[in-house]
Amino acid sequence: MNYVFGFLIFSAFMVTAWQQLGWQPSAADAIAPMQALTTGLIDSAKSAVELVLGLIGVMSFFLGLMKVVERGGLLLILARLIRPLMLRLFPEVPPDHPAMGAMIMNFSANALGLGNAATPFGIKAMQALDRLNPNPGVASNSMALFLAINTSSITLLPTGVVALRATLGSADPAAIMPTTLFATICSTTAAILAARWYQRFSPVRPLPPEQQPQREDEPAEDGSGAEVGSYSVWASWLFLLGILALIPITILYGRAMSPWVVPVLTVLFLGFGLVRRVPIYEAFVEGAKEGFALAVKIIPYLVAILTAIGMFRVSGAMEWLVGLLGPLTAWFGLPAEALPMALLRPLSGSGAYGVLVGIMQDPATGPDTYVGLLVSTLQGSTETTFYVLAVYFGAVQVKRVRHALATALTADMVGIAAAVFICSWLFL
């Protein structure tokens, strides 16, 4: 991200400096290129803060709803439904090992868009998988597959992106629900298949003893594996078939369904909390506090990236880049305006978020154009690969990732291609 930030700033300055050196005022009120760059820099920084202030309420609302269903045990229900499938995906993991329960809870949290809840479960799962790993410091097949599924972003409810689109004035904020579902299923399937294929060509080479990390003492059993339990195999397969059935339904009737999505989810989630005897007001407020803190936390990141993007655009460098790449990428349904989003998403979550906001704020694109819908789908159906890899493998001091990175990047490319395909079909 340092290189991306620096490239945007320095290239904007160099392009503007070149224009300034050859600039001749055509009128008394003409604005010099360097002055326009300064104005664009200041305006971009102000708009970043104003955006977050508008986003606080929406983000707090959605995270409040998520907290209600989390307290009601919806994660545990989902965990029990998908446990039979997990036993097939991870045959090296004993059914009642704590790693199995932690992985299921991580996937369930990701499916509901609970990123804050998913990360602790993911770290706990990676630590438990490391205790099963006979080669400390080297990623096992289970660890590589678990990370790849995480980076494929198994998101069924992209509530964060829907909330952002609503904040930016979209006439149909939930229009990306069918495209996100299609893209995330494609990328997750690709992650599983790629992990199985690549592991054949990635033999385990143990680290020398002096490079092997020292493991901590075995922690007390936390019951995360045994407590999850499971429903019958038929219930699990019916649940998975129901998820798959959502793809053609949302593609065919997505436009008609999208106005109902947010109100219906609000009623269903609060109703679920009432049925489960959750104090829905207190739980909602607790989640809303997390949403407020999260919105404030991203202000510095948005100020940095939106300022850099604003300078890049005002300088004319963005127009030059779009003109150069646009004719080439348009053949594949990927406009040059969306290229920064596709390239940044695996590298930096905050950077990609800034690009997403910048594109949807731009009057030339906006949230409801093809470009706005495409970048919204990319945000909702892909994950920050290098961040996840650094956090999860860093937690267990894995130095040799084997095929994990190649698998994750393969899933990213399939997810981007699937997003372009489905958005081109539905919105072009």
Side-chain angles (χ1 to χ4, degrees):
M1 194 58 200
N2 293 324
Y3 296 109
V4 174
F5 181 71
F7 169 77
L8 293 174
I9 295 290
F10 291 122
S11 60
F13 175 79
M14 296 300 294
V15 171
T16 305
W18 178 261
Q19 296 173 349
Q20 181 71 36
L21 292 175
W23 180 70
Q24 295 293 335
S26 57
D29 57 348
I31 300 176
M34 198 59 72
Q35 181 61 42
L37 183 66
T38 302
T39 303
L41 185 157
I42 296 173
D43 290 343
S44 298
K46 290 170 56 180
S47 66
V49 178
E50 292 170 356
L51 171 67
V52 175
L53 292 177
L55 187 60
I56 286 176
V58 182
M59 187 175 291
S60 298
F61 175 78
F62 276 100
L63 286 185
L65 288 179
M66 292 296 101
K67 181 61 69 173
V68 171
V69 296
E70 181 185 354
R71 292 270 295 271
L74 184 58
L75 290 180
L76 187 61
I77 294 174
L78 291 176
R80 290 173 174 170
L81 283 170
I82 66 175
R83 189 166 186 256
L85 176 63
M86 293 289 291
L87 296 178
R88 293 179 178 271
L89 288 176
F90 299 93
E92 303 97 344
V93 181
D96 292 327
H97 193 273
M100 189 65 74
M103 286 192 295
I104 291 174
M105 300 297 277
N106 170 264
F107 293 155
S108 301
N110 272 323
L112 292 177
L114 298 173
N116 291 337
T119 300
F121 287 130
I123 293 175
K124 182 187 297 184
M126 193 62 77
Q127 291 171 335
L129 288 173
D130 186 57
R131 293 194 290 273
L132 294 172
N133 186 9
N135 300 288
V138 181
S140 65
N141 291 338
S142 295
M143 295 167 77
L145 176 58
F146 173 68
L147 183 135
I149 293 176
N150 261 272
T151 60
S152 67
S153 184
I154 45 176
T155 305
L156 303 182
L157 299 176
T159 51
V161 183
V162 172
L164 177 63
R165 289 174 53 80
T167 302
L168 295 177
S170 172
D172 191 2
I176 62 163
M177 295 286 284
T179 56
T180 299
L181 180 62
F182 178 84
T184 194
I185 288 179
C186 289
S187 61
T188 302
T189 302
I192 296 171
L193 296 178
R196 297 297 190 203
W197 177 257
Y198 291 158
Q199 72 184 30
R200 302 179 182 180
F201 311 101
S202 181
V204 178
R205 292 183 291 111
L207 291 172
E210 64 274 10
Q211 296 184 19
Q212 294 181 5
Q214 296 296 321
R215 286 174 171 163
E216 299 178 359
D217 295 335
E218 189 82 7
E221 190 81 4
D222 61 4
S224 57
E227 289 179 3
V228 169
S230 62
Y231 296 125
S232 67
V233 176
W234 284 107
S236 299
W237 280 112
L238 286 174
F239 173 74
L240 294 174
L241 290 175
I243 295 298
L244 293 176
L246 288 177
I247 298 178
I249 292 175
T250 52
I251 290 175
L252 293 174
Y253 305 106
R255 291 182 179 271
M257 294 168 55
S258 59
W260 292 78
V261 171
V262 175
V264 168
L265 284 180
T266 301
V267 173
L268 288 179
F269 285 176
L270 293 179
F272 177 82
L274 287 174
V275 171
R276 304 287 291 187
R277 298 183 179 180
V278 174
I280 58 174
Y281 178 76
E282 288 82 358
F284 184 93
V285 171
E286 181 183 350
K289 289 180 180 178
E290 295 178 5
F292 182 89
L294 181 60
V296 173
K297 184 178 180 181
I298 66 176
I299 289 179
Y301 300 97
L302 279 180
V303 169
I305 194 65
L306 287 182
T307 300
I309 292 173
M311 292 177 63
F312 194 69
R313 286 178 172 168
V314 171
S315 70
M318 179 68 80
E319 294 180 9
W320 178 82
L321 183 61
V322 169
L324 179 66
L325 298 178
L328 177 62
T329 58
W331 283 93
F332 306 99
L334 180 61
E337 298 93 331
L339 272 178
M341 177 69 185
L343 295 175
L344 269 179
R345 185 63 177 129
L347 299 172
S348 169
S350 57
Y353 191 79
V355 172
L356 170 69
V357 172
I359 290 174
M360 292 202 295
Q361 278 187 325
D362 189 345
T365 51
D368 293 327
T369 63
Y370 172 74
V371 175
L373 291 163
L374 176 58
V375 296
S376 299
T377 301
L378 290 175
Q379 177 73 17
S381 60
T382 54
E383 188 53 89
T384 313
T385 297
F386 289 89
Y387 168 81
V388 173
L389 186 145
V391 171
Y392 285 8
F393 279 157
V396 292
Q397 303 178 60
V398 167
K399 300 178 181 179
R400 190 172 291 165
V401 301
R402 297 177 62 222
H403 57 288
L405 179 58
T407 302
L409 292 178
T410 299
D412 288 338
M413 290 188 290
V414 171
I416 292 172
V420 171
F421 168 78
I422 194 64
C423 288
S424 298
W425 186 25
L426 291 181
F427 303 127
L428 274 183

